Structures are given as C-alpha cells and as structure tokens.
Amino acid sequence: MPTILGQNQYGKAENRVVKITRDGDTHHIKDLNVSVALSGEMDDVHYSGSNAHVLPTDTTKNTVFAFAKEHGIESAEQFGIHLARHFVTSQEPIKTARIRIEEYAWERIATSDANSRFIGSDEVKHSFVRKNQEIRTAQITFDGEKWQVVSGLKDLTVMNSTNSEFWGYVKDKYTTLKEAYDRILATDVSARWRYNWTSDEQRMPNWEKSYEQARKHMLHAFAETYSLSLQQTLYQMGSRIINNRSEIDEIRFSLPNNHHFLVDLEPFGLKNDNEVYFAADRPYGLIEGTVLRDGVEPQIPVDMTNL
Ligand SMILES: O=c1[nH]c(=O)c2[nH]c(=O)[nH]c2[nH]1
C-alpha cells in the first residue's frame, strides 16, 4: 500500500450545553461548550468504510446532554472526567477520549440599587449577566488508565497603568523603539495549566477551588510585579502558581503585548504627560512560555494556548 493512516480522532465538536440547577427558586447556571474527540481502533472505517467500531458523533452529542442531566455539572473538569471515562470504558474499540470544554461564567444581577424595580421580588435569584472577562477552559484525556487534566483560561484582559519599563534591549539598524521607563503593560491572558493528578480517583483535586486559586495567583503576580518586560511578568505569574499550588506542575502562557502608544499632542499645543494613549490592536508582541516545577517533563503542547 502506498499510503498508511496516521493519527486520527473523531467526535462532535462544540456541544453547547446549558444546565440550570433549581434550588427552590434560586437557580444556578453552568454554560459549557463541550468538544469530544475519540480515538482507537479506527483503521477499518478509514480503509474500507466499515462502521463496526464507530460510535456515531451524533451519539457523543446526545451523551453530553444526557450526562448534564444524569450527573449534573459540578465543574468543567468533573463533567469531562465523567464523559471521558464513559467513552473509554463502554466502547471496546475506543482507547482514548479527549474532552475539551470552554465554560462561560454568569453572575447574578445585583439589585441592591435603591431604584431597582426588582427589589423585593425574586428576580435576583434567576437573573444573570454574563461575565465577559474570561473564558475558562478544561481538557480531559483518558486512555483507560491514566488521566491528564489541563485547565486554563483565555481572554482575561489585564492592565498595569504604571510599574512597567522596557529598556536595555538589543538595537540594530532597524530599531526605532524608544526606551520606556514608565509604560502601560496590558495583555489578554491565555493560560493552560496541567494537574499532576493522573490516577487515584479518591484523591482528585478540588477543581473549582484550584481554578479560583490559580486565577487569583496569576492576577496578584501581574499586579505586584514591577515589570522590566512582559517575559519577566510571565515567569512571575507562572512561578507564583507553581509555588502555591502543589497540584499544578506546569503552566503555559500566551500573552499578547497590547501596545499603548503615547499620542503626539504637540501639533495641538498640548503636552502629553503620559496621559493620552493610542491602543493599537495589531500588530502586537506575542510573548509565550512555560513555567515548570523543577524536575518535571513538559507536556502541554506549545500551541495549546492558542486554541
Ligand atoms: O515586554 C516586552 N518584551 C519584548 O520583548 C518587547 N519587544 C518590544 O518591542 N516591546 C517589548 N516589550
């Protein structure tokens, strides 16, 4: 045969499942985008078209919705673990399941405003505004023995309006950038972190707490680092998480440097004393890197933070 089949996987991508949990008249929302990718003994379907090993992608979609009802959605990670375990243990030919999840967060609309027409009503218990700050991500992979859980977030937009400098860099004949001793540092954080939990189902991390803590540590490190480069800030954010969270061994960041250029106001006879900036959307610097616990092998793919 002149050709052979290489890596392959299949499943239903982007199942948008919204689960409302009713606790009396107080409701809770979980809003997920779930992508299923299965792989295993799938040579025949590719070579001859025999579907004998193929669980339809349509079934994987139905399973996502049925599991939301049967198991509930405690956390993105826990939900992904249920799904991955189900596909690998219920279907002989399926050897590995990878579940990718994006979670969109919602928060209750606060109605403490004295003028609110909702005061005294039940509205606050079932009215939500989508938190547009960040999207939470989770990827769960199970091969029948070992688990790999990589959680993360994207589009977490942050800015320091001072405490950032950039100078002392290489200058060649094309360099025009002026050294900055007080600049804006802004980025949209995309991060993926890997848990060292791989097998003992009795000792799973607390996924919700771990996410909140990882997010908190990266934000605190961003705010507290007096930055000489975004690269330095990246390392501080990662090492703060590794040092404070023993369940996390590796974290990878993709950080666009959202440039803010001082606007020349001289033509209008005005002095710009680091007050008025042009926020450029492109091109942007792109600073990416992994921070690891010492002695640990990296496993998060280089491109994963761009998903
Ligand atoms: O924090 C930065 N890192 C760079 O590598 C870089 N390069 C550049 O032009 N501006 C910046 N800023």
Side-chain angles (χ1 to χ4, degrees):
M1 234 194 285
T3 59
I4 57 160
L5 178 68
Q7 196 280 342
N8 62 90
Q9 57 193 29
Y10 82 105
K12 195 73 96 192
E14 305 216 33
N15 300 285
R16 292 281 289 103
V17 54
V18 174
K19 174 80 197 305
I20 310 287
T21 305
R22 297 188 161 78
D23 177 9
D25 55 5
T26 300
H27 297 179
H28 305 271
I29 294 185
K30 281 286 189 185
D31 182 352
L32 307 184
N33 190 7
V34 181
S35 294
V36 177
L38 307 177
S39 52
E41 292 163 6
M42 296 295 156
D43 284 4
D44 284 355
V45 61
H46 292 89
Y47 287 135
S48 71
S50 164
N51 290 322
H53 286 176
V54 179
L55 183 73
T57 67
D58 190 64
T59 307
T60 68
K61 173 197 73 183
N62 293 343
T63 310
V64 169
F65 290 98
F67 270 37
K69 169 69 185 174
E70 283 182 67
H71 300 284
I73 302 175
E74 200 183 294
S75 65
E77 289 83 357
Q78 182 67 65
F79 190 60
I81 284 168
H82 277 307
L83 285 166
R85 187 196 295 113
H86 167 78
F87 291 123
V88 172
T89 58
S90 68
Q91 300 298 321
E92 236 302 286
I94 293 172
K95 303 301 180 197
T96 303
R98 189 200 71 196
I99 312 295
R100 279 194 174 153
I101 302 178
E102 290 189 346
E103 177 173 350
Y104 313 115
W106 294 81
E107 63 188 356
R108 275 168 218 293
I109 295 178
T111 53
S112 54
D113 179 343
N115 296 320
S116 171
R117 66 191 173 88
F118 294 138
I119 283 212
S121 79
D122 285 337
E123 286 295 314
V124 71
K125 296 180 177 169
H126 59 249
S127 297
F128 300 84
V129 55
R130 182 152 148 192
K131 271 198 203 171
N132 264 339
Q133 211 181 8
E134 88 239 25
I135 293 172
R136 175 171 169 178
T137 67
Q139 173 177 290
I140 296 90
T141 311
F142 183 50
D143 64 5
E145 282 179 18
K146 284 218 172 325
W147 295 92
Q148 188 199 59
V149 179
V150 178
S151 297
L153 52 77
K154 61 183 180 182
D155 300 334
L156 180 64
T157 302
V158 289
M159 175 189 287
N160 283 328
S161 54
T162 189
N163 287 6
S164 167
E165 308 185 11
F166 187 66
W167 48 268
Y169 42 80
V170 174
K171 298 171 190 79
D172 71 5
K173 66 176 180 171
Y174 301 112
T175 304
T176 57
L177 186 73
K178 294 214 163 45
E179 298 201 320
Y181 297 90
D182 186 7
R183 68 172 185 173
I184 286 179
L185 187 67
T187 187
D188 311 309
V189 180
S190 181
R192 300 290 183 281
W193 55 89
R194 183 173 56 78
Y195 291 94
N196 46 33
W197 175 78
T198 57
S199 56
D200 185 353
E201 297 201 24
Q202 306 309 314
R203 306 187 56 181
M204 245 182 238
N206 178 336
W207 307 113
E208 299 290 79
K209 180 168 181 217
S210 203
Y211 178 86
E212 287 309 323
Q213 290 292 310
R215 180 182 186 279
K216 180 192 86 176
H217 286 300
M218 79 173 75
L219 287 177
H220 287 189
F222 178 82
E224 290 166 12
T225 301
Y226 190 104
S227 176
L228 299 176
S229 67
L230 187 50
Q231 288 91 328
Q232 181 197 20
T233 297
L234 179 154
Y235 185 74
Q236 288 299 319
M237 291 165 74
S239 54
R240 181 87 68 113
I241 290 171
I242 302 286
N243 289 335
N244 283 282
R245 303 304 306 175
S246 60
E247 72 276 27
I248 297 172
D249 269 4
E250 176 184 6
I251 176 160
R252 184 163 177 84
F253 291 97
S254 178
L255 302 180
N257 189 355
N258 296 339
H259 301 300
H260 289 70
F261 297 114
L262 271 178
V263 178
D264 179 10
L265 299 176
E266 295 281 329
F268 322 122
L270 299 169
K271 186 161 180 279
N272 192 352
D273 202 8
N274 279 5
E275 286 173 296
V276 182
Y277 295 85
F278 162 61
D281 66 342
R282 66 191 72 172
Y284 47 88
L286 187 59
I287 310 300
E288 303 185 294
T290 300
V291 183
L292 296 154
R293 190 174 301 288
D294 197 11
V296 158
E297 283 297 313
Q299 292 178 32
I300 300 176
V302 164
D303 287 336
M304 194 169 171
T305 31
N306 299 322
L307 295 173

